[in-house]
Amino acid sequence: NKHVIRGKSGVEQVKLLDRFNNKTTTGTLYLTATHLIFVESNVPGAHEIWILHHHIASVEKLSLTTSGCPLLIQCRNFRVVHFVVPRERDCHDVYSSLLRLLRPVSYDELYAFSYNPKQNEQQREVGWQLIDLTAEFERLGLPCDQWQLSDVNRDYKVCETYPRDLYVPITASKPIIVGSSKFRSKGRFPVLTYFYQEKKAAVCRCSQPLSGFSARCLEDEHMLQAISKANHNSRFVYVMDTRPKLNALANRAAGKGYENEDNYSNIRFQFVGIENIHVMRASLQKLLEVVGTRSLSVNDYLLGLESSGWLRHIKAIVDAAIFLTKAVTVEGASVLVHCSDGWDRTAQVCALGALLMDPYYRTLKGFMVLIEKEWISFGHKFADRCDQLDGDPREVSPVFTQFLDCVWQLMEQFPQAFEFSEWFLIQLHEHVHSCQFGNFLGNSQRQREELQLKDRTYSLWAHLLSEQHNYLNPVYSPSFAERHPVLEPSTQPWNFKFWRNMYHQFDRTMHPRQSILKHTLTLKESNSKLEDTAHTLQAVSSYLLSSPLRCTNTPLQSLSSLHDSSPDAPDGNGGERTVEGSSATENGYGELQSSFSSKNEPAMVSLEFGVARMTC
Amino acid sequence: MEFAELIKTPRVDGVVLHRPFLPTVEGTLCLTGHHLILSSRQDNTEELWLLHANIDAIEKRFIGSLGTIIVKCKDLRIIQLDIPGMEECLNIANSIEALSTLDSVSLMYPFFYRPMFEVIEDGWNLFLPEEAFKELESMTDEWRLSEVNKDFSICPSYPALVTVPKDIDDDSLCKAATFRHGGRFPVLSYYHKKNGMVIMRASQPLTGTSGRRCKEDEKLINATLRAGKRGYIIDTRTIAVAQQAKARGGGFEQEANYPQWRRIHKAIERTNILQESLIKIVEACNDHSNSMDRWLSKLEASNWQSQVKEILTTACLAAQCIDREGASVLVHGTEGTDSTLQVTSLAQIILEPACRTVRGFQALVEREWLQAGHPFQQRCAQSAYSNEKLRSEAPVFLLFLDCVWQILRQFPCSFQFNEHFLVMLFEHTYASQFGTFLGTTAAERVKLKLSQKTVSLWSWVNRPQELERFLNPLYEPNSLVIWPSVAPQSLLLWEGVFLRWNRSTKCLDEAYEEMVHIIEYNKELQLKVWVRSSAAGQRRFMGPCISHMHILSL
């Protein structure tokens, strides 16, 4: 079902230029309803690149060169491809088709509604039931004597961007809730999002109060009082405004702002200074510009890293999460977290804080629950932030990417704390933008229900769980969680690093050529197979002892298949081969004049592990 | 001189030792001729034994009668000693200062150290040039071992035996030596089995401003080229620096006189700049008050990572010439004892799988650094903290180790040794009980009678019980050339050296242990399956499994 481009099935003789070296590949470009596909020509086992239209952030037609018309495509998963199409007319066709395809205007056009993984209705339904937030709150010990499930938002009447089920203090009556919600931006009144059972301390979230310069709201004050009273361990509740103070001050002029400590009897107010979505968008853009530079010097790289501010922002989020964690786990105080609307910075800080406090969220399934809760159900605007539909570019921001980056930084410090590896994070990032599954579509639960996603699309969680063996961390230790229920990361600046495997996930020449993660994961998988084989063999040998004429070859098959799949197997024939993906000319060590013979490099093998495999 | 003269107070009780990430220890401080020892005199606590030679700088502070000495070590560790009594503290401080700055080599600890272990394999005899040449002879007859420098008179910084083209006689070598800085005429550094191409190294030619030339030198390096072939000269200096060198009698090979060679200039910095770079990066890593931006800008300002990239790039270029272009290479800088050796030795790591084994790497260090005349004693006299005026200190070898570590990080399964091995070498170049890194040249080492009077580092390292710590569990021999990425995004800060004392590595160490466990368990299971399948009479089917058995038989 490949799209026909002006009477042809594909555009031939298209050159793909590597963005960091002079390597070019020639192949054919195809366009389907969902993907742009490049197939390398004249190579056995040809290399293919599949680019989902939804992943394309921008398409640019550069000025004509002697070899053809260049087309630069930048993707949200940080893939950058540079094609040169021999004929200008073909290039224009591809360009205009892409422009039409890459910005859907209605949800119905998204891939998720046509994607069919060949599952039946029942399987689809089961997939959507895998992550259950009611069970999650039960796990946290809720409802309890101080916190109850409120039905006030059952019909999304009080707050349309909140989920239906909300947990509030038992002393917070309906009029207090409704009153408080009217005093909060977008009606996002304070509700519980995490409960630290050991100290009966709650993490609550909301949006900024509509306080302006002097407005106050008794119901809202009551609401905070109720949160405070629900925790006997502490006489006060922390209010964390995750914005820089200046931003909060500026908001007062627009009738918004922050809590006045004089009006709220028992709060401790604190700014933590995470920048807004616009600063973050610009920061990532600058970062990508810097690391996308050819022949980048070390000093330009480090200066660029600094001036992009990206790592400073990542550190600010981690610092805020540590503050939250300490308040809850050490002081036993409840904390109310907000920013402006309470769906970006608030989600980052609450989710990261919960991850530090509760080892369950560091398991594969627990992490899904965490995302489902803090991000999906509480209305992080995935559609707007990830630019799913043609919308306001000022709404786009890498807020969720930053959260994943923070988690990766923690993984680097605590390699045994997480059940999953960075490949899982990269895969999540892939699908937040792919619109292949229903989970991240839309901006709120209400909207997702209207779109009937559970009936019309599939759940990513089921898909990820079905191939979870790829995402496991081989050195994960459940006993680590027992020894370190609360993670206490160091925030020395050197602990915050550029996440190369995320932002350069498609630039294989920059990766280590042998992956310890892949190697160890394979060995661990092989260990469980070997255990089975050893077991079987023992049974066989005792069986053979009793009836020596019988023979079986089952263990042999499993063994040889095991060996075939072992990674990084040294290649005996030496010769011209190099270690996979490692070649002299692709690294640009130096320009050797062409007066000397230059040889062709062996074709580079692309390892697209941890990157979406398209199932069409 | 008696050490006792320098030690006024040999013992103080009630001294408190502070170390980052470790509990404080209270105990007795003792000074001996070579060590600072702190013992709590309890059985279960670890004692501190610090070589005076490892002390780079000290600071004294007094609060009332309580004195504090901050001891800054060459391995970059910083410890604090609280000493009751002002006089005791001053005495101790003065003794440490005197003992840690002794100039005489013969007073160094290696001359006093008696091993507590039996030397089974003497490291001094492990890597003799004759042996290396035998191996070369088995591959090619184009080279010979010359004794022209047997009394170290032609080139004081070369070993007694050097490998040179067969067709060049000793007289020509003598003449070529007069044309090269410090007499370092071109000699063989590496022979690439696969295509017979070679890396040669030398020092700069003494062309001077008048454009001197030397027929013997030209003939010597041309003799390394096969008929119709051309080669590359990699000058590790920028063209500007090389030009300036002419005014001081140095220079570079003029195209007109070396028509078969193409010269490439790179920009590896001179030694004093490298030392500044080390001081800055260590300062940045020790400052715990840095904001994110300040950290990044200090890291940038230190230029350390830039040096790593430049050295690695130059080495890759040399390897590329050899393996991809099929052209031989001559490498030099100014003296040919620093950047030259970084490039030639790293190129071998990239090209030659044998250099990635423990033994092979030791042989490389012997051949390309010790015998090749890297002046370890001068370069490693001071480290990053010293307040003394710099003489010719420079972290040349540390940068080489850093580059090796970068390659190791990118090819974690291709090296038989691990990071600890590299860190250990770094430590021993600055302060050691072994004589291996004493002296500046092969000639001096002979004069000092190191092989008779001191123990070789290799004698200790190669003992199975020591070696175990330095082996990489992920190692799978691979016969390929390994091309590292030199993009800034691929180069990392060597935390194992620079942040070693500034962070707790408990979580990282435990994770490493778990990885080792997975690997060991895999071997164990393989064995179990093999044994059981043999027992089941199926041994002849177990082909694929056998390849794993060589690991077990080690």
Side-chain angles (χ1 to χ4, degrees), chain A residues 590-598, chain B residues 197-200 221 224-225 229-235 253 258 260-265 317-332:
Chain A
E591 45 314 301
L592 294 171
Q593 289 87 340
S594 53
S595 63
F596 283 56
S597 72
S598 82
Chain B
M197 295 300 124
V198 295
I199 301 178
M200 310 267 296
I221 75 163
T224 66
L225 294 176
K229 283 274 189 181
R230 305 215 284 176
Y232 288 97
I233 293 172
I234 296 180
D235 190 327
E253 295 82 356
Y258 298 84
Q260 286 159 286
W261 296 82
R262 186 178 297 278
R263 214 178 57 245
I264 303 173
H265 288 275
L317 185 69
Q320 193 182 349
C321 292
I322 298 279
D323 190 68
R324 298 276 120 184
E325 303 293 317
S328 286
V329 177
L330 169 69
V331 184
H332 70 73

CSV table of all heavy atoms in Angstrom, one decimal, chain A residues 590-598, chain B residues 197-200 221 224-225 229-235 253 258 260-265 317-332:
chain,number,residue,atom,x,y,z
A,590,GLY,N,40.9,12.6,10.5
A,590,GLY,CA,41.7,13.5,9.7
A,590,GLY,C,41.5,13.4,8.3
A,590,GLY,O,41.0,12.4,7.8
A,591,GLU,N,41.8,14.4,7.6
A,591,GLU,CA,41.5,14.4,6.1
A,591,GLU,C,42.8,14.0,5.4
A,591,GLU,O,43.8,14.6,5.5
A,591,GLU,CB,41.0,15.8,5.7
A,591,GLU,CG,41.8,17.0,6.2
A,591,GLU,CD,42.1,17.0,7.7
A,591,GLU,OE1,41.2,16.9,8.5
A,591,GLU,OE2,43.3,17.1,8.0
A,592,LEU,N,42.8,12.8,4.9
A,592,LEU,CA,43.9,12.3,4.1
A,592,LEU,C,43.7,12.7,2.7
A,592,LEU,O,42.6,12.3,2.1
A,592,LEU,CB,44.1,10.8,4.3
A,592,LEU,CG,44.4,10.4,5.7
A,592,LEU,CD1,44.3,8.9,5.9
A,592,LEU,CD2,45.8,10.8,6.1
A,593,GLN,N,44.6,13.3,2.1
A,593,GLN,CA,44.5,13.8,0.7
A,593,GLN,C,44.2,12.6,-0.2
A,593,GLN,O,44.7,11.5,0.0
A,593,GLN,CB,45.7,14.6,0.2
A,593,GLN,CG,45.8,15.9,0.9
A,593,GLN,CD,46.6,15.8,2.2
A,593,GLN,OE1,46.6,14.8,2.8
A,593,GLN,NE2,47.1,17.0,2.7
A,594,SER,N,43.4,12.9,-1.3
A,594,SER,CA,42.9,11.8,-2.1
A,594,SER,C,44.0,11.2,-3.0
A,594,SER,O,43.8,10.3,-3.8
A,594,SER,CB,41.7,12.2,-2.9
A,594,SER,OG,42.1,13.4,-3.6
A,595,SER,N,45.2,11.9,-3.0
A,595,SER,CA,46.3,11.4,-3.9
A,595,SER,C,46.6,9.9,-3.5
A,595,SER,O,47.2,9.2,-4.3
A,595,SER,CB,47.5,12.2,-3.8
A,595,SER,OG,48.0,12.2,-2.4
A,596,PHE,N,46.3,9.6,-2.3
A,596,PHE,CA,46.6,8.2,-1.8
A,596,PHE,C,45.3,7.4,-2.1
A,596,PHE,O,44.2,7.9,-2.0
A,596,PHE,CB,47.0,8.2,-0.4
A,596,PHE,CG,48.4,8.6,-0.1
A,596,PHE,CD1,48.8,9.8,-0.6
A,596,PHE,CD2,49.2,7.8,0.5
A,596,PHE,CE1,50.1,10.2,-0.4
A,596,PHE,CE2,50.6,8.2,0.7
A,596,PHE,CZ,51.0,9.4,0.3
A,597,SER,N,45.5,6.1,-2.3
A,597,SER,CA,44.3,5.3,-2.6
A,597,SER,C,43.4,5.3,-1.4
A,597,SER,O,43.7,5.3,-0.3
A,597,SER,CB,44.8,3.9,-2.8
A,597,SER,OG,45.2,3.3,-1.6
A,598,SER,N,42.1,5.5,-1.8
A,598,SER,CA,41.1,5.4,-0.7
A,598,SER,C,40.2,4.2,-0.9
A,598,SER,O,39.8,3.9,-2.0
A,598,SER,CB,40.3,6.7,-0.6
A,598,SER,OG,39.3,6.6,-1.5
B,197,MET,N,53.1,-2.6,6.9
B,197,MET,CA,53.4,-1.2,7.1
B,197,MET,C,53.9,-1.0,8.5
B,197,MET,O,53.7,-1.8,9.4
B,197,MET,CB,52.1,-0.4,6.9
B,197,MET,CG,51.6,-0.4,5.5
B,197,MET,SD,52.8,0.2,4.3
B,197,MET,CE,53.0,-1.2,3.2
B,198,VAL,N,54.7,0.1,8.7
B,198,VAL,CA,55.3,0.3,10.0
B,198,VAL,C,55.0,1.7,10.6
B,198,VAL,O,54.7,2.7,9.8
B,198,VAL,CB,56.8,0.1,9.9
B,198,VAL,CG1,57.2,-1.3,9.6
B,198,VAL,CG2,57.5,1.1,8.9
B,199,ILE,N,55.1,1.8,11.9
B,199,ILE,CA,55.2,3.1,12.5
B,199,ILE,C,56.7,3.3,13.0
B,199,ILE,O,57.2,2.4,13.7
B,199,ILE,CB,54.3,3.2,13.8
B,199,ILE,CG1,52.8,3.0,13.3
B,199,ILE,CG2,54.4,4.6,14.4
B,199,ILE,CD1,51.8,3.0,14.5
B,200,MET,N,57.3,4.4,12.6
B,200,MET,CA,58.6,4.8,13.1
B,200,MET,C,58.4,5.9,14.0
B,200,MET,O,57.5,6.7,13.9
B,200,MET,CB,59.5,5.2,11.9
B,200,MET,CG,59.5,4.3,10.7
B,200,MET,SD,60.8,3.2,10.9
B,200,MET,CE,62.2,4.3,10.8
B,221,ILE,N,64.8,6.9,6.5
B,221,ILE,CA,63.4,6.7,6.5
B,221,ILE,C,62.8,6.2,5.2
B,221,ILE,O,61.8,5.5,5.2
B,221,ILE,CB,62.6,8.0,7.1
B,221,ILE,CG1,62.6,9.1,6.1
B,221,ILE,CG2,63.2,8.5,8.4
B,221,ILE,CD1,61.5,10.1,6.4
B,224,THR,N,62.4,2.5,4.8
B,224,THR,CA,61.2,1.8,5.4
B,224,THR,C,60.1,1.7,4.4
B,224,THR,O,59.1,1.1,4.7
B,224,THR,CB,60.7,2.6,6.6
B,224,THR,OG1,60.2,3.8,6.2
B,224,THR,CG2,61.8,2.8,7.6
B,225,LEU,N,60.2,2.4,3.3
B,225,LEU,CA,59.1,2.4,2.3
B,225,LEU,C,59.3,1.3,1.3
B,225,LEU,O,60.5,1.0,0.8
B,225,LEU,CB,59.0,3.7,1.5
B,225,LEU,CG,58.6,4.9,2.4
B,225,LEU,CD1,58.7,6.2,1.5
B,225,LEU,CD2,57.3,4.8,3.0
B,229,LYS,N,55.9,3.0,-2.9
B,229,LYS,CA,55.0,3.4,-1.8
B,229,LYS,C,55.4,4.8,-1.2
B,229,LYS,O,56.5,5.2,-1.3
B,229,LYS,CB,55.1,2.4,-0.7
B,229,LYS,CG,54.3,1.1,-1.0
B,229,LYS,CD,52.9,1.3,-0.6
B,229,LYS,CE,52.1,0.0,-0.7
B,229,LYS,NZ,50.7,0.2,-0.4
B,230,ARG,N,54.4,5.5,-0.7
B,230,ARG,CA,54.7,6.7,0.0
B,230,ARG,C,54.3,6.6,1.5
B,230,ARG,O,53.6,5.7,1.9
B,230,ARG,CB,54.0,7.8,-0.6
B,230,ARG,CG,54.3,7.9,-2.1
B,230,ARG,CD,54.4,9.3,-2.6
B,230,ARG,NE,53.0,9.9,-2.8
B,230,ARG,CZ,52.8,11.1,-3.2
B,230,ARG,NH1,53.8,11.9,-3.3
B,230,ARG,NH2,51.6,11.6,-3.3
B,231,GLY,N,54.8,7.5,2.3
B,231,GLY,CA,54.4,7.4,3.7
B,231,GLY,C,54.0,8.8,4.2
B,231,GLY,O,54.0,9.8,3.5
B,232,TYR,N,53.5,8.7,5.5
B,232,TYR,CA,53.1,10.0,6.1
B,232,TYR,C,54.0,10.3,7.3
B,232,TYR,O,54.5,9.4,8.0
B,232,TYR,CB,51.7,9.8,6.7
B,232,TYR,CG,50.6,9.8,5.7
B,232,TYR,CD1,50.1,8.5,5.2
B,232,TYR,CD2,50.1,10.9,5.2
B,232,TYR,CE1,49.1,8.5,4.3
B,232,TYR,CE2,49.1,10.9,4.2
B,232,TYR,CZ,48.6,9.7,3.8
B,232,TYR,OH,47.6,9.7,2.8
B,233,ILE,N,54.4,11.6,7.4
B,233,ILE,CA,55.1,12.0,8.6
B,233,ILE,C,54.0,12.7,9.5
B,233,ILE,O,53.4,13.7,9.0
B,233,ILE,CB,56.2,13.0,8.3
B,233,ILE,CG1,57.3,12.2,7.5
B,233,ILE,CG2,56.8,13.6,9.5
B,233,ILE,CD1,58.4,13.1,7.0
B,234,ILE,N,53.8,12.2,10.7
B,234,ILE,CA,52.9,12.9,11.6
B,234,ILE,C,53.7,13.7,12.5
B,234,ILE,O,54.4,13.2,13.4
B,234,ILE,CB,51.9,12.0,12.3
B,234,ILE,CG1,51.0,11.2,11.2
B,234,ILE,CG2,51.1,12.7,13.3
B,234,ILE,CD1,50.1,10.3,11.8
B,235,ASP,N,53.6,15.1,12.4
B,235,ASP,CA,54.3,16.0,13.3
B,235,ASP,C,53.2,16.3,14.3
B,235,ASP,O,52.2,16.9,14.0
B,235,ASP,CB,54.8,17.2,12.6
B,235,ASP,CG,55.7,18.1,13.5
B,235,ASP,OD1,55.5,18.1,14.7
B,235,ASP,OD2,56.7,18.7,12.9
B,253,GLU,N,60.6,18.1,8.4
B,253,GLU,CA,61.1,17.6,7.2
B,253,GLU,C,60.5,18.5,6.0
B,253,GLU,O,59.3,18.6,5.9
B,253,GLU,CB,60.7,16.2,7.0
B,253,GLU,CG,61.3,15.2,8.0
B,253,GLU,CD,60.6,15.2,9.3
B,253,GLU,OE1,59.6,15.9,9.5
B,253,GLU,OE2,61.0,14.4,10.2
B,258,TYR,N,62.1,15.3,1.2
B,258,TYR,CA,61.4,14.0,1.6
B,258,TYR,C,60.3,13.8,0.6
B,258,TYR,O,59.1,13.9,1.1
B,258,TYR,CB,61.0,14.0,3.0
B,258,TYR,CG,62.1,14.1,4.0
B,258,TYR,CD1,62.7,15.3,4.4
B,258,TYR,CD2,62.7,12.9,4.6
B,258,TYR,CE1,63.7,15.4,5.3
B,258,TYR,CE2,63.7,13.0,5.5
B,258,TYR,CZ,64.2,14.2,5.9
B,258,TYR,OH,65.3,14.3,6.8
B,260,GLN,N,58.9,11.5,-0.9
B,260,GLN,CA,58.0,10.4,-0.8
B,260,GLN,C,57.1,10.4,0.4
B,260,GLN,O,56.4,9.5,0.7
B,260,GLN,CB,58.8,9.1,-0.8
B,260,GLN,CG,59.4,8.7,-2.1
B,260,GLN,CD,60.6,7.8,-1.9
B,260,GLN,OE1,61.7,8.2,-1.5
B,260,GLN,NE2,60.4,6.5,-2.2
B,261,TRP,N,57.2,11.5,1.2
B,261,TRP,CA,56.5,11.6,2.4
B,261,TRP,C,55.5,12.8,2.4
B,261,TRP,O,55.9,13.9,1.9
B,261,TRP,CB,57.4,11.7,3.6
B,261,TRP,CG,58.3,10.5,3.8
B,261,TRP,CD1,59.4,10.2,3.1
B,261,TRP,CD2,58.0,9.4,4.6
B,261,TRP,NE1,59.9,9.0,3.4
B,261,TRP,CE2,59.1,8.5,4.4
B,261,TRP,CE3,57.1,9.1,5.6
B,261,TRP,CZ2,59.2,7.3,5.1
B,261,TRP,CZ3,57.2,7.9,6.3
B,261,TRP,CH2,58.2,7.0,6.0
B,262,ARG,N,54.4,12.6,3.0
B,262,ARG,CA,53.4,13.7,3.1
B,262,ARG,C,53.4,14.0,4.6
B,262,ARG,O,53.2,13.1,5.5
B,262,ARG,CB,52.1,13.3,2.6
B,262,ARG,CG,51.1,14.4,2.6
B,262,ARG,CD,49.8,14.0,2.0
B,262,ARG,NE,49.9,13.6,0.6
B,262,ARG,CZ,49.9,14.5,-0.4
B,262,ARG,NH1,49.8,15.8,-0.2
B,262,ARG,NH2,50.1,14.1,-1.6
B,263,ARG,N,53.5,15.3,4.9
B,263,ARG,CA,53.6,15.7,6.3
B,263,ARG,C,52.2,16.2,6.8
B,263,ARG,O,51.5,16.9,6.1
B,263,ARG,CB,54.6,16.8,6.5
B,263,ARG,CG,55.3,16.8,7.9
B,263,ARG,CD,56.4,17.9,8.0
B,263,ARG,NE,55.7,19.2,7.7
B,263,ARG,CZ,56.0,20.0,6.7
B,263,ARG,NH1,56.9,19.6,5.8
B,263,ARG,NH2,55.4,21.1,6.6
B,264,ILE,N,51.8,15.7,8.0
B,264,ILE,CA,50.5,16.2,8.6
B,264,ILE,C,50.9,16.7,10.0
B,264,ILE,O,51.5,16.1,10.7
B,264,ILE,CB,49.5,15.0,8.8
B,264,ILE,CG1,49.3,14.3,7.4
B,264,ILE,CG2,48.2,15.5,9.4
B,264,ILE,CD1,48.4,13.0,7.6
B,265,HIS,N,50.4,17.9,10.2
B,265,HIS,CA,50.6,18.5,11.5
B,265,HIS,C,49.4,18.4,12.4
B,265,HIS,O,48.2,18.6,12.0
B,265,HIS,CB,50.9,20.0,11.4
B,265,HIS,CG,52.3,20.3,10.8
B,265,HIS,ND1,53.4,20.3,11.6
B,265,HIS,CD2,52.7,20.4,9.5
B,265,HIS,CE1,54.5,20.5,10.9
B,265,HIS,NE2,54.1,20.6,9.6
B,317,LEU,N,44.6,8.6,13.5
B,317,LEU,CA,45.0,9.0,12.2
B,317,LEU,C,46.2,8.2,11.8
B,317,LEU,O,46.3,7.7,10.6
B,317,LEU,CB,45.4,10.5,12.2
B,317,LEU,CG,45.8,11.1,10.9
B,317,LEU,CD1,44.6,11.2,9.9
B,317,LEU,CD2,46.4,12.5,11.1
B,318,ALA,N,47.2,8.0,12.7
B,318,ALA,CA,48.3,7.2,12.4
B,318,ALA,C,47.9,5.7,12.1
B,318,ALA,O,48.3,5.1,11.1
B,318,ALA,CB,49.3,7.1,13.6
B,319,ALA,N,46.9,5.2,12.9
B,319,ALA,CA,46.4,3.9,12.6
B,319,ALA,C,45.7,3.8,11.3
B,319,ALA,O,45.8,2.8,10.6
B,319,ALA,CB,45.5,3.5,13.8
B,320,GLN,N,45.0,4.8,11.0
B,320,GLN,CA,44.3,4.9,9.7
B,320,GLN,C,45.2,4.8,8.5
B,320,GLN,O,45.0,4.1,7.5
B,320,GLN,CB,43.4,6.1,9.7
B,320,GLN,CG,42.4,6.2,8.6
B,320,GLN,CD,41.6,7.5,8.5
B,320,GLN,OE1,41.7,8.3,9.5
B,320,GLN,NE2,40.9,7.7,7.5
B,321,CYS,N,46.3,5.6,8.6
B,321,CYS,CA,47.3,5.5,7.6
B,321,CYS,C,47.8,4.1,7.3
B,321,CYS,O,48.0,3.6,6.2
B,321,CYS,CB,48.5,6.4,7.9
B,321,CYS,SG,48.1,8.2,8.0
B,322,ILE,N,48.1,3.5,8.5
B,322,ILE,CA,48.7,2.1,8.4
B,322,ILE,C,47.7,1.1,7.8
B,322,ILE,O,47.9,0.4,6.8
B,322,ILE,CB,49.1,1.7,9.8
B,322,ILE,CG1,50.2,2.6,10.4
B,322,ILE,CG2,49.5,0.2,9.8
B,322,ILE,CD1,51.6,2.3,9.9
B,323,ASP,N,46.5,1.0,8.5
B,323,ASP,CA,45.6,0.0,8.2
B,323,ASP,C,44.7,0.2,7.0
B,323,ASP,O,44.4,-0.7,6.2
B,323,ASP,CB,44.7,-0.3,9.4
B,323,ASP,CG,43.9,-1.6,9.3
B,323,ASP,OD1,44.5,-2.6,9.3
B,323,ASP,OD2,42.7,-1.5,9.1
B,324,ARG,N,44.3,1.5,6.8
B,324,ARG,CA,43.4,1.8,5.7
B,324,ARG,C,44.1,2.3,4.5
B,324,ARG,O,43.7,1.9,3.4
B,324,ARG,CB,42.4,2.9,6.2
B,324,ARG,CG,41.5,2.5,7.4
B,324,ARG,CD,40.3,1.7,6.9
B,324,ARG,NE,40.3,0.4,7.5
B,324,ARG,CZ,39.4,-0.6,7.2
B,324,ARG,NH1,38.5,-0.3,6.3
B,324,ARG,NH2,39.5,-1.8,7.7
B,325,GLU,N,45.1,3.1,4.6
B,325,GLU,CA,45.8,3.6,3.5
B,325,GLU,C,46.9,2.8,3.0
B,325,GLU,O,47.5,3.0,2.0
B,325,GLU,CB,46.3,5.1,3.8
B,325,GLU,CG,45.2,6.0,4.2
B,325,GLU,CD,44.3,6.4,3.1
B,325,GLU,OE1,44.7,6.6,2.0
B,325,GLU,OE2,43.0,6.4,3.4
B,326,GLY,N,47.3,1.8,3.9
B,326,GLY,CA,48.5,1.0,3.6
B,326,GLY,C,49.7,1.8,3.4
B,326,GLY,O,50.5,1.6,2.5
B,327,ALA,N,49.9,2.8,4.3
B,327,ALA,CA,51.1,3.6,4.2
B,327,ALA,C,51.8,3.6,5.5
B,327,ALA,O,51.2,3.6,6.6
B,327,ALA,CB,50.7,5.1,3.8
B,328,SER,N,53.2,3.6,5.5
B,328,SER,CA,53.9,3.7,6.7
B,328,SER,C,53.9,5.1,7.3
B,328,SER,O,53.6,6.1,6.6
B,328,SER,CB,55.4,3.2,6.5
B,328,SER,OG,55.3,1.8,6.3
B,329,VAL,N,54.2,5.2,8.6
B,329,VAL,CA,54.1,6.5,9.3
B,329,VAL,C,55.4,6.7,10.1
B,329,VAL,O,55.9,5.8,10.7
B,329,VAL,CB,52.9,6.4,10.2
B,329,VAL,CG1,52.8,7.7,11.0
B,329,VAL,CG2,51.6,6.2,9.5
B,330,LEU,N,55.8,8.0,10.1
B,330,LEU,CA,56.9,8.4,11.0
B,330,LEU,C,56.3,9.5,11.9
B,330,LEU,O,55.6,10.4,11.4
B,330,LEU,CB,58.1,9.0,10.2
B,330,LEU,CG,59.1,9.8,11.1
B,330,LEU,CD1,59.9,8.8,11.9
B,330,LEU,CD2,60.1,10.6,10.2
B,331,VAL,N,56.4,9.2,13.2
B,331,VAL,CA,55.8,10.2,14.2
B,331,VAL,C,56.9,10.9,14.9
B,331,VAL,O,57.8,10.3,15.4
B,331,VAL,CB,54.9,9.4,15.2
B,331,VAL,CG1,54.2,10.4,16.1
B,331,VAL,CG2,53.9,8.6,14.5
B,332,HIS,N,56.8,12.2,15.0
B,332,HIS,CA,57.6,12.9,16.0
B,332,HIS,C,57.0,14.3,16.4
B,332,HIS,O,56.1,14.7,15.8
B,332,HIS,CB,59.0,13.2,15.4
B,332,HIS,CG,59.1,14.2,14.3
B,332,HIS,ND1,58.9,15.5,14.5
B,332,HIS,CD2,59.2,14.0,12.9
B,332,HIS,CE1,59.0,16.1,13.3
B,332,HIS,NE2,59.2,15.2,12.3
